[in-house]
Amino acid sequence: MDQTPTALFDSYESDFRHIVDSIKEKLEASGTGEQRKAALRKVEIELDEADDIVSALEIEIQGIPQSIKSQYLSRLKQAKADLTRYKKLAKDVHSQQSRAELLARTGGGVTSDDPYGEQSDRARLLSGTQTLEDGSRRLMNTQRIALEAEEQGTDILRTLRGQRETIENARNTLQTADSNIDRASGTVKRMIRQMYKQRIILSAMTVFIILLVIVILYFRIIRR
């Protein structure tokens, strides 16, 4: 599976565009009766799927690097605008369908003595089967999103665990270095004290030699 930061965003966006095209095709298609109702019911299901995908896009965009994030924000904004537009269009089509059915009923539009006959039952059965298939596909898609989110969560936890270990190792290294510096500082201080002691000893020896020379000269020259 592609592990680039934008792979899942691109995949979700592709699914979104496919669903939007399907919604557009159904809303623009002509039809009446049960066939039209079935198409509008499927549009409602697909709008819910598109809404879920937009939510997934909002999650995925958080992990996109800042250097390229602006263009993906624009694409997310466009997806939201398209979803809002088709929701409104679907609502308008529903209203038109309801008005047409109302006019048909009030104007004596029912021409069959059995509006729930064999053909109507078959249409409802086909519509129910289609709805069930759409629900199953939506459930599978939701499950896929959940599994991918779980996988991402696992990767994030693994990364955080590695960063924690790195920080702990760095802290241990700093503590070791601090201990070494303390020992080195103690050694330097001892060396400095030793140097001062040697200087004092050398100074005392120098003074002693000078005094000794003076005493010798005194006894050799003056006492003679």
Side-chain angles (χ1 to χ4, degrees):
M1 186 175 62
D2 192 350
Q3 296 296 324
T4 58
T6 61
L8 281 176
F9 186 99
D10 294 336
S11 176
Y12 289 147
E13 186 182 34
S14 177
D15 292 341
F16 177 82
R17 291 301 166 194
H18 178 74
I19 292 176
V20 165
D21 291 341
S22 177
I23 292 172
K24 180 180 178 182
E25 181 181 351
K26 291 179 178 62
L27 291 177
E28 294 178 352
S30 59
T32 57
E34 291 297 330
Q35 183 180 4
R36 186 60 171 165
K37 289 181 181 179
L40 292 178
R41 283 194 294 269
K42 188 170 183 180
V43 166
E44 291 180 357
I45 294 173
E46 289 179 334
L47 283 172
D48 288 339
E49 292 182 17
D51 206 352
D52 290 340
I53 293 177
V54 168
S55 298
L57 289 175
E58 291 177 335
I59 294 174
E60 289 303 320
I61 204 168
Q62 303 302 321
I64 295 179
Q66 290 294 334
S67 58
I68 58 174
K69 194 171 186 176
S70 58
Q71 57 180 301
Y72 284 88
L73 283 172
S74 299
R75 289 161 62 176
L76 175 59
K77 184 178 179 181
Q78 183 61 48
K80 289 182 177 180
D82 291 343
L83 179 60
T84 301
R85 179 160 58 91
Y86 281 107
K87 280 183 176 180
K88 184 178 183 301
L89 181 59
K91 184 177 180 180
D92 293 341
V93 172
H94 272 291
S95 299
Q96 294 173 4
Q97 180 73 14
S98 298
R99 285 196 298 269
E101 290 178 354
L102 179 61
L103 290 174
R105 286 196 298 270
T106 56
V110 177
T111 58
S112 172
D113 293 335
D114 186 9
Y116 300 103
E118 181 180 353
Q119 185 175 358
S120 179
D121 290 341
R122 182 179 179 185
R124 285 197 299 273
L125 179 60
L126 291 174
S127 175
T129 303
Q130 185 65 41
T131 301
L132 180 60
E133 291 177 353
D134 290 338
S136 298
R137 187 164 68 87
R138 183 182 176 189
L139 179 61
M140 292 177 63
N141 187 51
T142 302
Q143 186 178 13
R144 176 174 62 85
I145 293 174
L147 289 174
E148 290 173 348
E150 182 180 358
E151 182 180 351
Q152 281 191 319
T154 302
D155 291 339
I156 291 172
L157 289 175
R158 188 181 301 112
T159 301
L160 290 175
R161 189 179 298 111
Q163 291 177 350
R164 179 182 177 183
E165 291 175 356
T166 301
I167 292 172
E168 289 179 350
N169 291 335
R171 183 176 61 185
N172 293 335
T173 302
L174 289 175
Q175 290 176 347
T176 303
D178 189 32
S179 177
N180 291 336
I181 290 172
D182 288 341
R183 287 198 296 269
S185 177
T187 301
V188 170
K189 288 179 180 179
R190 287 194 297 272
M191 292 175 64
I192 291 173
R193 287 196 296 269
Q194 187 67 24
M195 181 185 67
Y196 283 143
K197 288 179 181 179
Q198 291 178 354
R199 284 185 177 181
I200 293 172
I201 293 172
L202 288 174
S203 298
M205 290 178 63
T206 302
V207 171
F208 175 77
I209 292 172
I210 292 173
L211 291 175
L212 182 61
V213 170
I214 292 173
V215 170
I216 293 172
L217 290 175
Y218 173 78
F219 281 103
R220 281 183 172 270
I221 299 175
I222 297 177
R223 295 294 295 271
R224 182 181 291 183

